[in-house]
Amino acid sequence: MNTRDLIDMALRNLLKRKLRTFLTVLGVVIGTASIVVMVSIGIGMNQGFAQQLESWGSLQVINVYPSGGMIYDEASDSMKQEKKQDELNSKAVEQFRQIEHVEAVSPVVEEYLYLVAGKYIADASIMGIDPGAMEALGYRVVEGRGLTAEDSKAIVVGGGVEFYDPKLNWEMRYASEPPQVDVLQEKLSLTYDWNYGTRNADKSIKPVKVEAVGKLSAEGNDSWRVIMPIKELEKIQKDRQEWEKKQSGSQNASSRSQSKEYQQVLVKVDEIENVQKVQQQIKDLGFRASSLTDELEAMKETTKMLRLVLGAIGAISMVVAAISITNTMVMAIYERTKEIGIMKVIGASLKDIKRLFLTEAAFIGFSGGIVGIIVSFGISFLVNVVAAQQGSTMQSSIPLWLALGAVAFATGVGILAGYLPAKRAMKLSALTAIKTE
């Protein structure tokens, strides 16, 4: 019996009992849809976590800090000072660049300064980074452009930075709406004179002229920051230290560190899957390291049991569908006992009979899987619509691998469910089957 005849006979046998075949296929549809929808909600939860964390920063960026910070000691159940192992300096930066899967590395220097725009000023957290690494580090510029390796006096301003008139008292500043300043059009400067714009301003401090070339989003952790080339910020820091020394009249008066050790280093990894591996390698070098993937893994672990329960609920539906397929095939054997006997008498091999029943079972599983996937997409769409209307972050996502895997799984369940009935059909005696009425 060739494959074409086998498929043709299997389809004709299934269509002889349309209602029973329909009900069996319906069971597979419900089982497939249950599994896919439940798993898709779990996948959607993970994607929702990732999207939420990405609003705080890139999931592929590792934050590296010097060793010697406070750590938790399990033995004493308290915090203790970690022993300092190595400095986070230019040598360490080069070590990070040599790690496999690392795309970009940038040391970080932070400083609080005034950002001046005409008669208005803003308290700004200034972050100095390697300008050539800004794009790779995942900073989202919503207007203008990001920093490039050629920039020196350029800055990128966070969308949440607010200006005010320094001549107003605190009550009036908070009572009035902040002025709207288009930083991309204004002439800007930076100063460490906290009395700038008032009668007590120090005229010996000359503001450093800068140019805003881009704006960051008004949402996320970087919305209140101003990003500029690290070398320019280090120059401002040096000038500030010299000014503080003159003000105090002492060479040792400045409380700022003269060390070349960086406060922080940002390490960009090529793929999210490699972040934890690279992060551990950095820790092995003696530094503290953290990333948003730590939060993501913690969230996934928290919801792991829920996702397992959702998958188990769907699996139960598929088990019921498998029992239904087995029942259908067994009933088909009882009804077609004589037909099986005739097939054996006219020369059909045991292998052909087994293949026939397995093909019928596979068709039930395959057709149920296809329809089940279609139903799953519809349910997934409705879940996302309702969740959006309710303002919930829960969502359903059906990737291609899940859809194809569900169809293959349903087909496999059909074949497995039909295996025992097929074996039973093979064992029937030809003479006894022919005599059966």
Side-chain angles (χ1 to χ4, degrees):
M1 186 183 296
N2 60 41
T3 303
R4 183 174 180 180
D5 292 336
L6 189 70
I7 293 175
D8 182 62
M9 186 177 293
L11 289 174
R12 282 192 285 109
N13 289 332
L14 290 173
L15 293 176
K16 283 180 182 179
R17 299 289 186 269
K18 293 184 179 64
L19 180 59
R20 187 168 65 194
T21 301
F22 170 75
L23 293 176
T24 307
V25 170
L26 181 60
V28 179
V29 170
I30 294 172
T32 303
S34 298
I35 288 180
V36 172
V37 171
M38 295 302 178
V39 173
S40 71
I41 290 176
I43 294 173
M45 291 172 63
N46 289 341
Q47 291 180 347
F49 293 151
Q51 290 173 3
Q52 180 182 354
L53 291 174
E54 281 178 347
S55 66
W56 301 351
S58 174
L59 292 172
Q60 295 168 242
V61 174
I62 300 173
N63 300 289
V64 185
Y65 303 96
S67 59
M70 298 298 293
I71 60 172
Y72 175 72
D73 181 27
E74 293 183 1
S76 61
D77 191 26
S78 61
M79 301 298 291
K80 71 174 185 178
Q81 185 74 29
E82 180 186 28
K83 183 179 179 181
K84 192 173 182 63
Q85 298 185 42
D86 205 351
E87 286 194 351
L88 190 60
N89 50 26
S90 57
K91 179 183 176 182
V93 171
E94 288 303 316
Q95 283 182 300
F96 301 155
R97 287 198 174 100
Q98 303 305 316
I99 298 176
E100 187 180 7
H101 302 299
V102 170
E103 281 190 345
V105 180
S106 173
V108 175
V109 172
E110 291 189 276
E111 190 72 57
Y112 283 95
L113 302 171
Y114 274 155
L115 177 61
V116 182
K119 67 176 184 178
Y120 301 115
I121 62 174
D123 302 325
S125 172
I126 313 297
M127 173 185 279
I129 65 171
D130 178 359
M134 182 175 181
E135 182 178 356
L137 292 172
Y139 290 101
R140 300 183 185 89
V141 178
V142 296
E143 191 175 350
R145 64 172 178 84
L147 300 177
T148 65
E150 292 74 27
D151 288 321
S152 58
K153 300 290 186 180
I155 62 172
V156 174
V157 183
V161 174
E162 293 184 352
F163 289 83
Y164 60 89
D165 188 343
K167 295 181 179 179
L168 300 177
N169 58 39
W170 289 103
E171 292 182 358
M172 294 184 66
R173 291 178 193 175
Y174 285 109
S176 59
E177 288 291 326
Q180 298 300 313
V181 176
D182 186 354
V183 293
L184 296 180
Q185 302 297 327
E186 287 282 348
K187 293 182 179 180
L188 305 175
S189 59
L190 293 171
T191 180
Y192 47 85
D193 181 8
W194 297 115
N195 293 314
Y196 184 87
T198 67
R199 289 179 298 178
N200 298 322
D202 190 332
K203 295 183 179 179
S204 67
I205 302 175
K206 295 182 180 180
V208 178
K209 294 182 179 180
V210 292
E211 177 189 5
V213 296
K215 289 181 66 176
L216 297 173
S217 171
E219 300 177 356
N221 290 347
D222 299 314
S223 61
W224 300 98
R225 281 182 173 151
V226 174
I227 301 177
M228 69 181 299
I230 186 171
K231 291 184 178 179
E232 294 301 318
L233 184 56
E234 286 177 333
K235 290 180 182 178
I236 295 175
Q237 281 187 326
K238 185 177 180 180
D239 291 342
R240 182 175 190 168
Q241 291 165 6
E242 293 297 327
W243 176 80
E244 288 176 346
K245 289 177 182 178
K246 291 179 181 178
Q247 293 298 308
S248 63
S250 170
Q251 292 296 315
N252 300 317
S254 175
S255 62
R256 298 181 178 273
S257 172
Q258 302 295 321
S259 171
K260 292 184 179 180
E261 184 175 23
Y262 296 115
Q263 300 160 305
Q264 181 184 359
V265 172
L266 300 178
V267 178
K268 170 67 179 300
V269 182
D270 55 2
E271 299 290 343
I272 295 179
E273 293 76 16
N274 299 321
V275 170
Q276 290 295 316
K277 177 182 177 181
V278 174
Q279 186 170 315
Q280 186 58 50
Q281 288 181 269
I282 293 173
K283 289 181 178 179
D284 292 340
L285 292 174
F287 301 100
R288 291 182 294 139
S290 64
S291 64
L292 290 176
T293 56
D294 296 334
E295 300 290 336
L296 181 60
E297 292 301 319
M299 289 179 175
K300 287 182 179 180
E301 192 64 29
T302 302
T303 60
K304 184 178 181 179
M305 183 57 67
L306 175 60
R307 288 183 281 119
L308 288 175
V309 171
L310 292 175
I313 293 173
I316 292 172
S317 301
M318 186 56 80
V319 170
V320 174
I323 295 173
S324 178
I325 294 174
T326 303
N327 179 67
T328 296
M329 301 312 298
V330 170
M331 290 298 296
I333 291 171
Y334 282 124
E335 292 175 354
R336 293 156 55 190
T337 301
K338 189 171 184 177
E339 177 187 332
I340 295 169
I342 294 172
M343 289 173 62
K344 288 185 175 183
V345 169
I346 63 175
S349 67
L350 295 179
K351 184 178 179 181
D352 286 336
I353 294 173
K354 179 181 178 182
R355 289 172 60 198
L356 175 62
F357 281 92
L358 289 180
T359 301
E360 292 178 18
F363 269 123
I364 292 173
F366 178 76
S367 57
I370 292 294
V371 178
I373 286 297
I374 296 173
V375 172
S376 300
F377 276 107
I379 296 175
S380 178
F381 175 76
L382 291 177
V383 168
N384 291 337
V385 169
V386 173
Q389 291 176 347
Q390 298 297 323
S392 172
T393 57
M394 187 185 78
Q395 58 181 340
S396 172
S397 176
I398 304 177
L400 180 61
W401 65 264
L402 178 58
L404 296 178
V407 174
F409 180 68
T411 305
V413 168
I415 294 173
L416 290 175
Y419 182 77
L420 290 179
K423 293 283 286 185
R424 182 183 178 86
M426 290 170 59
K427 294 178 180 180
L428 285 175
S429 169
L431 293 177
T432 303
I434 291 174
K435 292 178 181 179
T436 303
E437 293 296 332

